[in-house]
Amino acid sequence: MAITADEVKKLREITGAGMMDCKKALTQANGDFAAAERLLKEMGLAAIAKRQDRATDNGRVFVKVEKNKAVMVELSCETDFVATNEQFAELGNKICEVALAKGYTEINDELTGMVNDLIAIIKENMGLKNLCVFDLGANEYASSYIHGNGSLGVLVIFKADKAELFENELVKELTNDCALHVAAFTPSYLNISTVDEAYIKEQTEIFTVQAAKLDKPAKVLEGIVKGKLSKHLAEICFLQQPFVKDDSMSVEKKVAEVGKSAGGKLEIVNFSFLRAGVASCSN
């Protein structure tokens, strides 16, 4: 039977599939819209299987914060063109919403199915690479930042001795600045106490070998090693790093200072960032 342009357009509006695919499906289904939709889904699933081996080195990070939860998602794709596509952005935001609404903390079949639905329409391989969810206590607040078109996403979790502290303008500015700080310096650890002991041992051994080349007494060499280690840890630990807008003090001291000025106690208890194309959350 002859398939009209209006029929093809109608099926496209319903499914979001390409015009040629819609016409093909309607022709095979003899104009039956329900059957054509089913055929398009089958065609899409088959196409997804063919695309699964294609590299997804591009993508975008999405962040959504609610009163008691925060979520960060990394959605990957093959090309930077798709990474800036409106449907791709809508999908990333929708995944954040669904994860928060349903309490998901891990990638599951429902979320993967949402990605597959868009693959069938756009015809490019995609993947939900990361889903990071944080619970927020009564006196906790999550500051978020997305760099550019989502190449990097940041969450910084603050805790105060009273929730109203987060209404203070100085505190609001600080929470935003701290998220920008993480985006700029991408620290590896929250503070020195969270650094893996094996890593500290390895760095100590490296600095010991370096110091041994100097013609100095043992006690002096020991002090040099400790100094090098202390400097290195300050470079990779968020709270010990010089604050992005005032390098005369550490992030930790700046947070304490602003909290005191606002009439309370303020601290950073966690942070995380995702960079599109990198395999896992960093926190």
Side-chain angles (χ1 to χ4, degrees):
M1 64 177 292
I3 303 299
T4 68
D6 285 343
E7 289 173 324
V8 174
K9 183 180 178 182
K10 181 180 177 182
L11 184 60
R12 175 177 169 76
E13 290 173 351
I14 293 172
T15 64
M19 295 290 283
M20 293 304 294
D21 287 336
C22 287
K23 184 176 181 179
K24 181 179 178 181
L26 279 168
T27 300
Q28 291 183 17
N30 293 318
D32 184 325
F33 272 78
E37 281 188 65
R38 187 168 61 252
L39 281 169
L40 283 171
K41 182 170 286 190
E42 291 171 355
M43 289 163 59
L45 291 173
I48 289 168
K50 290 180 180 179
R51 295 183 177 93
Q52 284 180 340
D53 291 334
R54 294 184 187 176
T56 54
D57 297 327
N58 289 280
R60 193 164 172 173
V61 178
F62 303 86
V63 176
K64 187 171 179 61
V65 178
E66 291 189 345
K67 187 175 181 180
N68 62 347
K69 279 185 182 294
V71 63
M72 188 158 48
V73 162
E74 181 196 358
L75 193 58
S76 65
C77 57
E78 294 179 43
T79 63
D80 57 0
F81 177 77
V82 166
T84 57
N85 178 285
E86 185 177 338
Q87 289 173 292
F88 189 81
E90 289 174 355
L91 173 62
N93 289 320
K94 185 65 177 177
I95 288 173
C96 288
E97 291 172 5
V98 171
L100 286 173
K102 297 189 175 182
Y104 294 151
T105 57
E106 296 181 350
I107 298 169
N108 56 32
D109 289 343
E110 180 181 356
L111 300 179
T112 301
M114 292 168 64
V115 177
N116 288 343
D117 287 344
L118 187 58
I119 294 174
I121 294 171
I122 293 183
K123 296 183 171 26
E124 178 169 309
N125 194 22
M126 302 173 196
L128 180 52
K129 284 193 171 181
N130 278 291
L131 173 67
C132 306
V133 181
F134 299 86
D135 291 318
L136 303 176
N139 290 351
E140 292 184 343
Y141 173 84
S143 177
S144 65
Y145 171 71
I146 292 290
H147 184 70
N149 285 323
S151 59
L152 178 73
V154 173
L155 278 171
V156 180
I157 314 299
F158 294 82
K159 185 175 182 179
D161 59 347
K162 46 190 176 183
E164 55 265 32
L165 206 66
F166 295 115
E167 299 301 319
N168 182 281
E169 291 302 319
L170 286 175
V171 174
K172 286 181 181 180
E173 182 180 358
L174 175 74
T175 59
N176 182 65
D177 288 343
C178 285
L180 292 175
H181 178 106
V182 172
F185 296 103
T186 57
S188 301
Y189 300 92
L190 177 63
N191 54 37
I192 292 175
S193 67
T194 61
V195 180
D196 183 69
E197 288 186 10
Y199 180 82
I200 291 179
K201 181 181 178 182
E202 179 185 23
Q203 291 302 311
T204 301
E205 290 172 351
I206 291 171
F207 294 141
T208 299
V209 171
Q210 292 174 350
K213 297 176 182 178
L214 303 173
D215 185 20
K216 302 285 184 180
K219 279 287 184 182
V220 174
L221 293 179
E222 184 180 337
I224 291 173
V225 171
K226 286 182 178 179
K228 281 178 171 287
L229 181 62
S230 179
K231 181 181 178 181
H232 177 67
L233 292 177
E235 291 172 349
I236 64 173
C237 294
F238 183 18
L239 298 186
Q240 278 69 52
Q241 289 178 334
F243 183 56
V244 66
K245 286 192 172 181
D246 182 2
D247 60 9
S248 68
M249 64 176 66
S250 68
V251 172
E252 186 173 40
K253 288 183 178 179
K254 186 65 179 180
V255 171
E257 178 186 80
V258 171
K260 185 177 180 180
S261 297
K265 183 180 179 182
L266 184 67
E267 61 181 322
I268 295 173
V269 295
N270 202 357
F271 80 98
S272 182
F273 65 86
L274 279 175
R275 193 187 297 279
V278 177
S280 61
C281 283
S282 176
N283 62 1

